[in-house]
Amino acid sequence: MVTFLPTRPGRLADVPSFDRAIGGAESNVACALAAAGHAVRWVSRAGTDGFGDHLVATVASYGVDVRHVERDPARPTGVYFRTAGDRATDAHEVAYYRAGSAASAMSARTVDLAAVRAGRVLHLSGITAALSGGCLDLLRELTAPAADRPVLSFDVNYRRGLWGSGEGPEVLLELARRADIVFVGEDEAEEAWGVTGGPGAVRALLPEPRVLVVKQGAAGAVAFVSGEGEGVGEGEGAGAVSWAPVAAGGSAVDRHAPARVPTPVREIPAASASASASASASASASAGTFEPAPVVDVVAPVGAGDAFAAGFLSGILRGLPLRRTLRLGHLFAAAALTASADLAPPPARDTADRLTVLDTGRWERLRLGPGWTEADPAEEEVRTP
């Protein structure tokens, strides 16, 4: 979609002007992964209008393959307007204009399924499932068990307002149980499925995915990994869980090398950055791997979940160990959190690699502020009080 960002805080009724940008869960993931050096294809639909031209050109500018984006002359490109506030607060407003959009007409008949399945990892979002019956049928087709199916990544992305009926939670649970890698927020799982009791309770509800990542906001994230997999990464890291470009929203990632899912790292940080992080680490130690997030001076929270997914998938594709893969997710999210738009370039690979191998104490003292990804790649680029 094309997104319009307010030029100042306030209600939509009071903001006099907006800056144009792009947004969308799968395209955000695709752009971040391409910017991180992965081969990525985005498969979707856009109108032949000027907004569609801008959307496709901007996604392509990140290095994403957009040759399989279908242009629809009869339907417009979706757009949305939002306020500067946090989505979790009552002050946050979002106005979507995508009913009848080109993307909402995606289906198994209007999307090149071979192009979507050509990647080693296929990334999908629950938001797409809510757009139309055709979109839901497409996701059911792509998540159906098949011998030649790519490694399937699914971000639950529950948005109550997008579902016209009460079927959203049930549908998202069905799709998540079919996926290999699932991302879901702890608060999101409670809102959608009524799950309380921490990450372990979410895992009990979702035992099927090979990898389940439960995000805990500013505290960090817990990853659960089970079983063995086929090699899909570049094989950088010993101790990684092996598996297979990513396709999103239709998108696809890394069309060339193998991806690996990291093996669980049993040790939990001896001391976390906050009391809540310590509690989370203790609660998840028996079943999952907890990694605290660095402290971030937040500019805008929108897009952080997509960025985390991109960072984690980058670690998977590179075959990094689980702790470094989680840290990479946190760093990509920090890049988004310290930018005003939904989409922000991730840190350079050498910068991210240096930070993901910090010892526990230095990692927990990281504080990342606006502009940190553009700083000179030296010790001073981040504050470590």
Side-chain angles (χ1 to χ4, degrees):
M1 290 184 299
V2 171
T3 178
F4 289 88
L5 310 174
T7 54
R8 72 181 192 193
R11 301 183 310 151
L12 287 179
D14 301 327
V15 175
S17 59
F18 297 79
D19 291 327
R20 184 187 62 180
I22 67 167
E26 299 92 347
S27 58
N28 287 346
V29 171
C31 290
L33 278 164
H38 299 283
V40 185
R41 171 181 294 153
W42 182 49
V43 183
S44 189
R45 304 184 86 250
T48 55
D49 50 21
F51 288 147
D53 293 344
H54 173 68
L55 173 62
V56 175
T58 303
V59 172
S61 72
Y62 281 83
V64 177
D65 176 0
V66 297
R67 291 174 297 174
H68 295 273
V69 176
E70 180 74 21
R71 304 299 297 272
D72 189 335
R75 294 172 178 268
T77 302
V79 301
Y80 81 100
F81 295 76
R82 68 169 173 84
T83 55
D86 187 337
R87 179 183 282 120
T89 70
D90 292 338
H92 184 71
E93 295 177 73
V94 178
Y96 289 105
Y97 298 95
R98 57 184 176 190
S101 68
S104 71
M106 287 192 296
S107 71
R109 298 183 304 278
T110 61
V111 168
D112 186 341
L113 297 180
V116 174
R117 291 170 171 150
R120 292 182 294 134
V121 177
L122 171 62
H123 181 72
L124 302 170
S125 163
I127 291 176
T128 299
L131 296 183
S132 67
C135 286
L136 176 54
D137 289 343
L138 173 63
L139 262 64
R140 282 178 166 147
E141 170 74 20
L142 293 173
T143 58
D148 59 348
R149 191 183 83 172
V151 171
L152 182 63
S153 167
F154 181 70
D155 194 334
V156 172
N157 269 329
Y158 177 54
R159 302 287 186 270
R160 184 189 298 273
L162 291 179
W163 294 92
S165 64
E167 68 173 353
E170 181 179 350
V171 168
L172 294 174
L173 186 60
E174 169 201 340
L175 296 173
R177 285 174 167 164
R178 292 172 150 195
D180 301 302
I181 305 170
V182 172
F183 301 94
V184 65
E186 184 176 10
D187 56 347
E188 183 180 29
E190 181 176 0
E191 182 184 5
W193 303 315
V195 177
T196 59
V202 181
R203 182 55 161 173
L205 180 70
L206 283 168
E208 297 88 354
R210 173 81 189 292
V211 176
L212 172 67
V213 181
V214 181
K215 298 172 290 182
Q216 298 181 291
V222 178
F224 300 86
V225 180
S226 62
E228 298 299 329
E230 300 298 326
V232 294
E234 299 165 14
E236 286 188 21
V241 179
S242 298
W243 261 334
V246 175
S251 303
V253 184
D254 250 307
R255 296 181 298 281
H256 311 303
R260 308 214 295 182
V261 177
T263 48
V265 179
R266 296 299 180 188
E267 63 272 20
I268 299 297
S272 23
S274 66
S276 62
S278 295
S280 298
S282 299
S284 61
S286 62
T289 299
F290 172 80
E291 187 62 32
V295 176
V296 178
D297 297 328
V298 176
V299 173
V302 181
D306 301 330
F308 180 93
F312 191 90
L313 290 174
S314 180
I316 292 288
L317 289 161
R318 294 177 56 195
L320 298 182
L322 184 56
R323 190 171 303 288
R324 289 188 63 193
T325 297
L326 283 164
R327 287 183 175 187
L328 202 58
H330 289 320
L331 292 173
F332 276 48
L337 289 167
T338 52
S340 59
D342 292 17
L343 178 61
R349 181 173 288 197
D350 59 348
T351 298
D353 284 351
R354 181 173 56 77
L355 295 177
T356 60
V357 297
L358 290 176
D359 62 53
T360 299
R362 293 181 67 199
W363 172 260
E364 291 173 352
R365 291 195 299 273
L366 279 182
R367 186 181 185 112
L368 306 176
W372 73 272
T373 59
E374 302 170 4
D376 183 34
E379 194 73 19
E380 293 74 25
E381 74 179 22
V382 292
R383 300 197 298 278
T384 56

